[in-house]
Amino acid sequence: RTFNLLNKLGNPQNKIKNVISVVGTNSKYSICQSLKGVLNQAGYKCNLYLSPHLQSYTERFVYDDMEINEEILINLLEDIEKVLGDSSATLFEILSCAYLKYCEEFKDNITLIEAGLFHQFDSTNVFKKNLASVIGSVGLDHLQWINNKTIEGIIHEKTIKLLNSNIFVNKQDNKEITSKIEKALEKNNSNKYFYGRDFNILKAENGFIQYEDCESSIILPEPNILGDHQLVNICTSIAAARKLFNVKDENIKKGVTKIELKGRLQEIKSGKLKDLVGSNKLICDGGHNINAAKAIANWVDQQNQNVHLIVGMMKDKDHQGFIDCFNDKVKSITLIDIPNQEGSISKEEFKKKVDGINKKINLCKSIKESIQSINQYQNEICLVSGSLYLIGEVLNLN
């Protein structure tokens, strides 16, 4: 279906010159934004194709470092609909083809393409060549879509159709997964670079951050984003930028401070919901699988304040596994429904699945009520997580 529509559109995917494909279970968005931050400082303009969006479809369409204008996007999609005619296509396939068609107007930029579901049969896997592929963190998620419901099955889907160019592999949850990725890539003739072997990042207790690879090392300023797992994503982005482009050390240092991540351990510092939470911090993260939960829980461990967790999730997730990551790490857990999402699990059903853990599980009627309930505390942290759809609703309400 994707190739049928692209063919009707004149095969725009073959006219885009500098493509970097980003695949993985987690960290794709962060890697794209980190690469953009560094490349912009080096004078490169970037296009980004991202998914899903949190508040508006325009977030998915970035050209010349700017989010597309809503009116332009509406006209673009209307044009695509006319070209599609009576042929069938999914929403994501239509969005992907629309993105690539409009990308023709910015074809000389660096184009960062975030894969959708897996990669092998994803509608972003349409290029004959690219500059590189970046493999983010790989873990168990979306198992209902594949027959081989193991980590090997997921790695196969994400790596089997990667192009022969350059491949950068992010830090994984354990060495076993890294080894399995390496084995899966044996027949791929790309230049391959692995976190921990070819590049690394170190953080000392005094906040000192050092990136290093086989060529040299760089002392980095602390980025304006939360979570040590984001330092790893930045590290992989720096490795790719250094290998592929003329990026100087000062570009990297400046770029690291310019990275902005929406809905990834994002602190909400003003707005209606921030007013409800009183003197407490309000943090939101769209993490929705075990790897994400582990990264968020690691961040919770490092805080000197009590953390109150508010969670809403989709039905097809590992609810028990997600909550287990926070057992004995947070002061309270409150479950809520995700508004406007038919595929979400109700707070009552959620509670039945996780009630066996030690923490007392609270239920709240709404996002507002759950956040306002934290107002009884002072100088603590309210953390909303479990779904990107939930975080979109949080940002809209705020």
Side-chain angles (χ1 to χ4, degrees):
R1 292 190 300 263
T2 300
F3 280 113
N4 175 52
L5 180 51
L6 286 173
N7 190 50
K8 288 183 176 184
L9 293 169
N11 290 310
Q13 76 278 13
N14 298 334
K15 301 168 188 175
I16 303 167
K17 295 180 181 179
N18 307 303
V19 173
I20 298 176
S21 304
V22 185
V23 307
T25 309
N26 293 313
S27 68
K28 299 189 294 290
Y29 171 86
S30 299
I31 288 170
C32 286
Q33 295 290 7
S34 299
L35 254 173
K36 176 182 175 296
V38 171
L39 292 175
N40 285 167
Q41 292 303 311
Y44 295 96
K45 291 184 177 181
C46 295
N47 311 320
L48 278 71
Y49 181 54
L50 307 168
S51 66
H53 63 275
L54 295 180
Q55 295 176 274
S56 168
Y57 277 97
T58 57
E59 295 169 29
R60 300 175 182 233
F61 292 70
V62 176
Y63 304 99
D64 252 1
D65 305 308
M66 298 289 290
E67 204 173 290
I68 196 171
N69 173 278
E70 190 174 90
E71 190 175 340
I72 292 173
L73 179 57
I74 290 168
N75 292 334
L76 172 64
L77 292 174
E78 286 177 347
D79 290 343
I80 300 297
E81 189 177 26
K82 289 174 188 173
V83 172
L84 180 64
D86 295 330
S87 299
S88 62
T90 67
L91 173 62
F92 187 72
E93 288 162 354
I94 290 168
L95 292 172
S96 300
C97 294
Y99 178 86
L100 294 170
K101 181 60 182 174
Y102 198 62
C103 205
E104 277 189 85
E105 298 191 23
F106 309 90
K107 61 186 179 183
D108 294 327
N109 291 353
I110 310 301
T111 298
L112 307 172
I113 301 284
E114 181 182 339
L117 188 63
F118 301 116
H119 179 256
Q120 180 174 191
F121 299 114
D122 187 64
S123 57
T124 63
N125 181 20
V126 294
F127 301 100
K128 293 179 179 177
K129 61 180 181 178
N130 69 1
L131 288 177
S133 298
V134 183
I135 302 175
S137 171
V138 177
L140 296 174
D141 205 357
H142 305 296
L143 296 178
Q144 70 273 28
W145 296 101
I146 54 174
N147 292 324
N148 184 356
K149 302 179 190 300
T150 65
I151 193 68
E152 289 87 354
I154 288 180
I155 290 169
H156 173 81
E157 292 296 325
K158 292 184 186 297
T159 60
I160 190 66
K161 290 289 182 68
L162 293 181
L163 298 171
N164 291 316
S165 55
N166 298 280
I167 296 177
F168 298 86
V169 181
N170 202 24
K171 183 181 181 183
Q172 302 300 315
D173 194 38
N174 56 59
K175 290 181 181 179
E176 187 181 358
I177 294 176
T178 302
S179 297
K180 287 177 178 178
I181 292 173
E182 193 166 9
K183 186 175 181 182
L185 293 172
E186 279 178 349
K187 294 181 181 177
N188 188 300
N189 295 322
S190 296
N191 300 313
K192 297 159 198 161
Y193 308 94
F194 285 79
Y195 178 93
R197 185 188 74 186
D198 302 296
F199 55 93
N200 204 350
I201 197 160
L202 306 169
K203 183 181 180 182
E205 290 182 7
N206 60 2
F208 178 85
I209 302 169
Q210 181 173 310
Y211 166 87
E212 56 184 26
D213 57 28
C214 54
E215 294 175 8
S216 63
S217 64
I218 312 170
I219 305 302
L220 298 176
E222 194 156 359
N224 298 318
I225 53 177
L226 303 174
D228 285 351
H229 60 290
Q230 297 296 0
L231 295 180
V232 171
N233 301 331
I234 290 170
C235 175
T236 302
S237 301
I238 292 172
R242 292 190 80 177
K243 283 290 180 185
L244 300 173
F245 304 101
N246 181 28
V247 177
K248 298 187 171 92
D249 289 2
E250 55 264 34
N251 303 143
I252 293 169
K253 291 176 182 179
K254 282 185 183 177
V256 162
T257 65
K258 302 290 184 182
I259 301 166
E260 294 182 5
L261 302 179
K262 191 173 183 179
R264 278 74 175 177
L265 284 179
Q266 176 187 356
E267 182 175 358
I268 297 176
K269 296 183 178 180
S270 62
K272 295 176 182 176
L273 296 183
K274 172 58 180 170
D275 292 343
L276 291 179
V277 85
S279 66
N280 304 291
K281 286 183 181 178
L282 178 58
I283 309 284
C284 61
D285 191 289
H288 49 267
N289 53 43
I290 300 302
N291 279 15
K294 287 178 181 177
I296 300 165
N298 182 59
W299 174 80
V300 169
D301 265 344
Q302 296 173 8
Q303 305 312 302
N304 296 319
Q305 296 164 282
N306 289 324
V307 176
H308 302 267
L309 181 65
I310 298 171
V311 186
M313 298 185 78
M314 302 301 282
K315 287 178 183 174
D316 60 350
K317 302 301 177 184
D318 183 354
H319 309 101
Q320 180 76 61
F322 190 92
I323 295 297
D324 280 348
C325 291
F326 297 95
N327 197 17
D328 298 326
K329 293 181 185 290
V330 296
K331 188 171 180 179
S332 69
I333 298 176
T334 301
L335 306 181
I336 56 174
D337 296 333
I338 303 176
N340 310 312
Q341 289 297 327
E342 290 182 11
S344 64
I345 186 171
S346 71
K347 56 185 176 293
E348 293 83 8
E349 188 182 350
F350 197 160
K351 188 173 190 292
K352 287 178 186 176
K353 295 183 76 170
V354 302
D355 229 1
I357 67 171
N358 297 330
K359 282 286 171 189
K360 181 185 173 186
I361 301 290
N362 306 306
L363 298 183
C364 264
K365 293 178 183 177
S366 68
I367 294 170
K368 282 186 177 179
E369 183 182 293
S370 65
I371 290 174
Q372 193 163 24
S373 71
I374 310 302
N375 203 344
Q376 61 185 296
Y377 305 101
Q378 288 191 337
N379 300 316
E380 299 190 356
I381 297 172
C382 175
L383 171 62
V384 187
S385 189
S387 170
L388 287 165
Y389 297 108
L390 173 61
I391 301 312
E393 295 292 339
V394 168
L395 295 174
N396 284 334
L397 283 170
N398 192 57

